[in-house]
């Protein structure tokens, strides 16, 4: 290398050796610490060879000595910074891996089949490098049917994730203990009221709330019972027809029930074999395109009705991201539930693949592919 550099570079001191300082600096921008250090050592050796050939080293030229010292100092600095950068990258990757594992524990993938129900789900987080945010969903199998919840926490970021985890834990416990759906909704509201406003943050009491839809789908009856707590209404797809399941007496969001002293009314809707329920958060219907037009979910959903729940949510995810240009401004979650035409009492144990990225707009997971 020294011979090549001697031939290529000018034999004069001002240009030849001084250019060698660029080699380790450029190498550090794309190569590893080991390669950067090796190039730095070669550059220093090349400068010594050039100095010997031109007589600058033996003559003790001050300019040559200054350039050699500068080369050594710069080489050490860029090598150390490259090492620190690699260490930081390794630590960041470890933190990201732990965070992803934690988020997947909080928002468990839904099974592909729950009793007589076929399920598909998708979650798209608006925050970069995040798998979940303030939206939530969960399903619990009971002796008589299946209970589902879908919700949206006020706010974003780590606080919203913490609040979502709190409600999901309460739902998974309460779904087995509370006989009635109204009692379950009241239990979840009390849990939110007790826990979301920390005693050290009393000024936030009444400001923390979660919109939610809580469903009970019995195995033996072609119906679905639902309590709506300030959440967008679900859609029912019957063939190519779509119906909006409006609550006759919607309750306040969870966390505000005690303030309103509200009774949780249970609405019952027909849910026959072959029908599809489409549950979603407001991040779907409030998503806008470049012109400010909201995403038309009721108009788009019927075209995907003949597909399976997993295929439906995949089509919806692709179409929604295309509508907003690939980046969501808010978290979005969708659950598609279809009652099998031949109900079975055997619960399949298949589980979904873990959440995966779906472009700049967020992350997504579907429970059946």
């Amino acid at each position: 290398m020294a011979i090549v550099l001697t031939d290529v570079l000018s034999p004069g001191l001002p240009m030849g050796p001084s250019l060698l300082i660029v080699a380790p600096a450029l190498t550090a921008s794309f190569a590893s610490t080991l390669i950067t250090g090796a190039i730095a050592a070669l550059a220093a050796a090349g400068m010594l060879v050039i100095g010997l050939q031109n007589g600058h080293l033996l003559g003790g030229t001050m300019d040559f000595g200054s350039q050699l010292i500068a080369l050594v100092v710069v080489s050490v600095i860029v090598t150390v910074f490259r090492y620190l950068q690699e260490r930081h990258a390794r630590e960041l990757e470890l933190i990201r891996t732990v965070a992803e594992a934690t988020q997947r524990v909080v928002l468990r993938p839904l099974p592909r089949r729950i009793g007589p129900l076929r399920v598909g789900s998708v979650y798209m987080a608006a925050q970069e490098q995040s798998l979940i945010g303030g939206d939530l969903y969960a399903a619990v199998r009971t002796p008589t049917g299946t209970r589902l919840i879908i919700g949206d926490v006020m706010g974003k970021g780590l606080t919203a994730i913490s609040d979502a985890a709190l409600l999901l834990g309460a739902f998974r416990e309460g779904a087995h203990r509370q006989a009635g759906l109204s009692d379950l909704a009241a239990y979840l509201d009390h849990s939110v009221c007790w826990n979301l406003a920390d005693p050290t943050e009393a000024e936030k009491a009444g400001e923390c709330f979660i919109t939610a839809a809580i469903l009970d789908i019995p195995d033996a009856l072609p119906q679905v019972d639902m309590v709506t707590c300030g959440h967008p209404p679900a859609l029912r797809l019957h063939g190519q027809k779509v119906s909006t399941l409006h609550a006759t007496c919607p309750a306040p969001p969870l966390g505000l029930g005690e303030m309103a002293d509200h009774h949780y009314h249970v609405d019952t809707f027909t849910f026959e074999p072959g029908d599809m329920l489409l549950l979603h958060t407001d991040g779907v219907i409030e998503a806008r395109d470049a012109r400010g037009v909201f995403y038309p979910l009721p108009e788009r959903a019927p075209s995907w009705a003949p597909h399976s729940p997993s295929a439906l949510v995949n089509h919806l995810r692709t179409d929604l991201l295309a509508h907003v240009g690939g980046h969501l401004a808010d978290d979005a979650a969708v659950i598609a539930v279809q009652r099998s035409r031949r109900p079975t009492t055997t619960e399949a144990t298949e589980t979904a693949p873990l959440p995966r990225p779906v472009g700049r707009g967020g992350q997504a997971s579907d429970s059946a592919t």
Side-chain angles (χ1 to χ4, degrees):
M1 177 179 179
I3 297 175
V4 174
L5 289 172
T6 303
D7 293 337
V8 174
L9 297 175
S10 169
L13 178 62
M15 291 300 297
S18 62
L19 291 178
L20 290 172
I21 201 171
V22 178
L26 288 178
T27 305
S29 65
F30 62 87
S32 65
T33 302
L34 182 61
I35 295 177
T36 300
I39 295 298
L42 287 174
M47 177 170 278
L48 290 173
V49 171
I50 294 173
L52 284 172
Q53 289 184 346
N54 294 336
H56 300 301
L57 183 62
L58 297 177
T61 304
M62 184 175 297
D63 288 344
F64 180 81
S66 300
Q67 292 185 23
L68 180 59
I69 293 174
L71 173 61
V72 173
V73 171
V74 170
S75 297
V76 171
I77 291 175
V78 297
T79 303
V80 170
F81 270 96
R82 182 60 186 172
Y83 167 76
L84 294 176
Q85 185 181 29
E86 288 184 349
R87 188 177 69 174
H88 176 72
R90 289 193 298 267
E91 292 175 350
L92 184 61
E93 183 63 27
L94 177 60
I95 293 173
R96 182 176 296 139
T97 301
V98 173
E100 289 180 358
T102 303
Q103 293 177 33
R104 287 167 179 161
V105 170
V106 172
L107 192 69
R108 303 172 190 170
L110 297 181
R112 291 190 175 104
R113 181 177 290 274
I114 308 177
L117 305 178
R118 300 171 63 196
V119 181
S121 62
V122 62
Y123 194 105
M124 291 165 281
Q127 188 173 357
E128 295 289 345
Q129 305 299 327
S130 178
L131 294 178
I132 66 172
D135 290 1
L136 59 98
Y137 54 69
V140 172
R141 184 74 176 143
T142 68
T144 58
T146 302
R147 286 181 169 178
L148 293 160
I149 186 172
I150 185 168
D152 185 1
V153 180
M154 180 202 69
K156 298 180 181 180
L158 295 177
T159 301
I161 296 174
S162 174
D163 295 345
L166 183 150
L167 179 60
L168 288 173
F171 171 76
R172 291 176 181 129
E173 178 183 2
H176 294 287
R177 294 186 175 185
Q178 304 300 324
L181 200 60
S182 179
D183 295 334
L184 175 58
Y187 171 79
L188 296 179
D189 179 72
H190 292 325
S191 297
V192 174
C193 290
W194 293 334
N195 295 283
L196 285 189
D198 189 89
T200 61
E201 300 177 347
E203 69 278 0
K204 293 186 177 181
E207 297 180 5
C208 300
F209 60 86
I210 304 173
T211 67
I214 309 164
L215 294 80
D216 193 353
I217 306 177
D219 292 344
L221 299 174
Q223 68 183 45
V224 54
D225 299 325
M226 185 182 307
V227 171
T228 303
C229 303
H231 200 74
L235 301 179
R236 180 183 58 203
L237 304 179
H238 181 78
Q240 294 293 322
K241 297 181 180 179
V242 57
S243 303
T244 302
L245 305 183
H246 291 288
T248 57
C249 186
L254 299 175
L256 302 180
E258 289 186 351
M259 297 176 60
D261 192 22
H262 192 87
H263 173 72
Y264 291 94
H265 177 76
V266 179
D267 291 292
T268 301
F269 303 96
T270 301
F271 186 40
E272 300 176 350
D275 286 354
M276 187 97 69
L277 283 178
L278 196 58
L279 312 171
H280 58 88
T281 60
D282 59 8
V284 176
I285 57 176
E286 293 181 0
R288 304 187 187 212
D289 62 11
R291 299 172 298 174
V293 178
F294 291 109
Y295 182 71
L297 179 61
E299 289 76 16
R300 302 285 180 88
S303 62
W304 305 316
H307 299 282
S308 66
S310 59
L312 185 149
V313 297
N314 282 331
H315 284 303
L316 194 156
R317 174 181 59 194
T318 301
D319 191 54
L320 178 61
L321 290 176
H323 180 80
V324 299
H327 182 77
L328 290 170
D330 192 11
D331 299 331
V334 180
I335 303 176
V337 182
Q338 185 178 47
R339 186 185 292 275
S340 299
R341 295 187 181 278
R342 294 181 180 179
T344 176
T345 57
T346 303
E347 179 181 1
T349 58
E350 290 182 285
T351 56
L354 293 177
R356 64 176 186 269
V358 293
R360 292 188 62 227
Q363 312 289 328
S365 66
D366 52 67
S367 60
T369 54

